[in-house]
Amino acid sequence: MGELTSPHPKAPYTIREEPLGAAKHVKIVGIGAGASGINMIRTLRKNMTNYEHVIYEKNEKVGGTWFENRYPGCRCDIPSHNYQFSWRPNPEWSNFFSPAAEIEQYLTRICEEEHMMDTIKTRHQVIGAWWDEERGLWDLRVLNLETGEELRDQANFLVDASGILNNWKWPDIPGIKGFQGDLIHTANWPEDFDYSNKTVAVIGNGSSGIQLLPTIQPDVKKLYHFVRTPTWVIPPRIMSMMVMGGPAKDILSEIELDEKENFTPRQIERFKTDPAFYRKFVKTIEKDGNGTFPLVLRNGGPVQAFATSKVVQYMTAALGGDERLCKALIPQFPLGCRRITPAPGYLEALRTPNTEVITEGIAAVVPEGIQLESGEIIKLDAIICATGFDNSFAPRFPIVGRYGNVQDAMKADTPRAYMSCALAGVPNYFTFLGPNAPIGHGSVFTLSEHIARYITQAIKKCQTESIKAIVPSDAAVADYNQHVATFMPRTAWASSCKSWFKGGSTDGPVTALHPGSRVHFFHMLARFRGEDWDFVYEVPSCNRFAYLGNGFSTRELDPQGDPTWYLDGEGSGL
């Protein structure tokens, strides 16, 4: 976009005695060692030289959400063979939808085998970051959670991979901390909690609640399920793929699964020994998932109408036609307004003798249980809150850029970002899955690969073109968010329903999803748009072309390189 005025007066211009392509040393600090942070390590290793990279991870192990979420029944709702890095296929997933522990093991194994642990400092939590304009550096405060010692660090670039589904919260119910039984949140599940033969309440029917409930229902004495808002529960994913007649229909007929959707030993062996078939399977399932975007368009026409009718039909049958349950569970708002979730066994569990669905409002939590708005008290041994996370996009610690603390800005106004991965007024800062990222558009693993490449392009540009600071221009951020706000009413996401897509509001702006399809997002990030960014160049000359250097190129000086690469054909086009 342009060059910002440097605080230094311009010195007489002199030639930099280095070749074109020479990379200055930079330090990159990452926050979080979940899938995005782990992938960033690999992307930097593959594309950059002369840099230092450290990741601060607050937990004792890597894995992010898949380390933290351990509640019974926790699993991914994206097909296993597409919920993996493209550069690290795993033909040995046990189930069509991977259990949480298996995904955590996959990420841990990558870190060990790729020797990434020397980059990651576990049990270290970033507690503050301040941008120093004069030095072009981030000053960081980091807490060692093992010793309680506070450390200071600095970085040229700050990469936030702490995640959107990370900061869990208790529901806002009076008296909740005064409950005398077991009070549990699904995102902080105690490993030693025994729910068998207990009277238990499950509050919430989002993704966590509907996975947890059918898992614990057979073992509890009595289960009260508190439902405030209906939610769309789609048929089992394989059934849906077959009914919708998409690309996956034919190849699924070749896949061997047992009644619990576990791959048979023979199927796993075929995945391992027939790479052509395995790749065909992975790409076909991916193509099928990528084709679901029309379902959330309000003018989706017959596709949306057909899908809605099939989901209503499925939910009604699974609820046994029970009029009360159908009214409580089947939404009147459009399919896709809230997250669409498969939940095998959930609807059926609601009809069991030891389960009761309660739609009446909760007045308070009292020491012995939950008091309803009617005054009735339900006595409980345990309250399990499946009530989600803080989706405000406000960081958990101060990040102070040119315009002040990002925490204040995110709380005061609609969260806004540039293509989800950078913020106005916050130089040399990048984030994975920021405002209006495609968090509901399929596998986070491949999303993180594209975002990491985009971030690395920006950092490498600064490293090799004498750029001290880079930030998306205010005008570019404003224009991008004007497009987001104008596009979203086309989608079911913007319909009237309480959803974390809208920061927990009913009719607020959609802040958690990308304005387009998954492939649309990938296409958008394919090229770094320098015209959307403001740059501050290195002193003393502040000349944007100082990086051209002494007339030579690193491509001709690298003894391991190929100085005549341009003779190797036309390549693959522009």
Side-chain angles (χ1 to χ4, degrees), residues 438-493:
I439 188 65
H441 293 57
S443 171
V444 168
F445 282 76
T446 37
L447 288 174
S448 74
E449 293 181 46
H450 285 262
I451 297 168
R453 283 196 290 269
Y454 189 84
I455 294 172
T456 301
Q457 285 181 56
I459 294 176
K460 190 170 184 178
K461 179 180 179 68
C462 294
Q463 189 192 30
T464 58
E465 296 185 18
S466 302
I467 297 169
K468 184 168 73 170
I470 183 173
V471 67
S473 71
D474 291 359
V477 174
D479 284 352
Y480 181 75
N481 283 274
Q482 181 184 48
H483 174 79
V484 171
T486 306
F487 180 88
M488 284 303 179
R490 296 184 174 207
T491 70
W493 304 325

Side-chain angles (χ1 to χ4, degrees), residues 276-486:
F277 175 78
Y278 180 64
R279 182 163 177 78
K280 177 184 176 184
F281 169 70
V282 172
K283 287 177 70 69
T284 302
I285 299 299
E286 180 81 2
K287 182 179 180 181
D288 193 283
N290 286 348
T292 60
F293 182 62
L295 295 178
V296 300
L297 294 177
R298 286 183 167 180
N299 61 350
V303 174
Q304 187 184 52
F306 176 76
T308 300
S309 67
K310 288 297 180 183
V311 176
V312 170
Q313 181 181 338
Y314 164 74
M315 291 185 68
T316 302
L319 292 169
D322 185 295
E323 185 175 346
R324 176 179 171 273
L325 289 178
C326 288
K327 184 177 180 180
L329 272 297
I330 300 177
Q332 296 300 308
F333 51 76
L335 185 69
C337 185
R338 294 182 72 189
R339 184 174 180 182
I340 303 173
T341 309
Y346 168 70
L347 298 174
E348 294 81 357
L350 301 182
R351 299 171 55 204
T352 56
N354 70 334
T355 302
E356 182 177 341
V357 175
I358 297 177
T359 57
E360 184 179 341
I362 297 174
V365 173
V366 293
E368 64 270 32
I370 290 177
Q371 182 176 6
L372 303 180
E373 290 179 343
S374 64
E376 178 187 355
I377 293 177
I378 298 175
K379 295 184 178 181
L380 299 163
D381 298 313
I383 297 175
I384 301 173
C385 301
T387 47
F389 302 83
D390 178 355
N391 304 123
S392 67
F393 291 100
R396 298 172 73 170
F397 55 89
I399 298 176
V400 181
R402 289 175 179 163
Y403 303 155
N405 190 349
V406 174
Q407 290 177 310
D408 298 334
M410 289 294 185
K411 292 174 182 176
D413 199 358
T414 302
R416 305 196 313 166
Y418 173 80
M419 295 188 178
S420 83
C421 58
L423 305 179
V426 190
N428 292 19
Y429 170 86
F430 300 96
T431 183
F432 284 85
L433 305 176
N436 293 109
I439 188 65
H441 293 57
S443 171
V444 168
F445 282 76
T446 37
L447 288 174
S448 74
E449 293 181 46
H450 285 262
I451 297 168
R453 283 196 290 269
Y454 189 84
I455 294 172
T456 301
Q457 285 181 56
I459 294 176
K460 190 170 184 178
K461 179 180 179 68
C462 294
Q463 189 192 30
T464 58
E465 296 185 18
S466 302
I467 297 169
K468 184 168 73 170
I470 183 173
V471 67
S473 71
D474 291 359
V477 174
D479 284 352
Y480 181 75
N481 283 274
Q482 181 184 48
H483 174 79
V484 171
T486 306

